[in-house]
Amino acid sequence: VERSRGLGDVYKRQMLPLGTKAPDFELINTVDDKLLDLKSLAGKHGTLIIFMCNHCPYVVYLLEAILSFSREMESKGIKTIAISSNSVNTHSEDGPLEMKKLARLKSFSFPYLFDASQEVAHAYQAACTPDFFLFDKALKLYYRGRFDASRPTNDLPINGSELRSACEGMLKSDPAPEKQYPSLGCNIKWHIGNEPK
């Protein structure tokens, strides 16, 4: 159990154990309305899955850095997949139409998938936006945690240092980092009655 903070809320969370095989999924890519699966999206040397959404201040704060980072990692054989699992019943701005608008406005170089049932978020034990999961070429979990220590509420630079270090270590086949800090952000907006136990 790890402890994480999101906009003043403190919650305990179970985190997917390192070495776990990435749970499979098949979701609609809001960018082009195509049904895509994990196998077809996985990178040659690794796969970064980011649970995110449109409205979260933490995502907005990091978005340009995430876009730049994903392009850099793609050149190294690590593909990025973004997934939104937020309930549109309470947050319509996080629905497929608005996701498509944002992806096109910001020229996403990766798919932006919609997890309407929230089953994928549950399978990955995702808790907040953004939440980062890095899998190796065998789709085994190598890192799950934060981008870096920068927040909208502090003066630390956005540099992706922790996720970058994990990617570099994975590419060199180093052991997974011993210290992995949970990502911080807004809680995933669960459908009523669908919250994690």
Side-chain angles (χ1 to χ4, degrees), residues 84-119:
S84 177
S85 301
N86 275 4
S87 174
V88 295
N89 299 331
T90 55
H91 292 75
S92 59
E93 65 269 41
D94 291 334
L97 181 58
E98 297 305 316
M99 291 169 63
K100 178 182 290 189
K101 289 179 182 177
L102 179 64
R104 290 182 173 177
L105 176 67
K106 296 294 185 178
S107 301
F108 281 20
S109 61
F110 48 79
Y112 195 11
L113 311 180
F114 184 52
D115 177 23
S117 70
Q118 303 183 326
E119 291 178 4

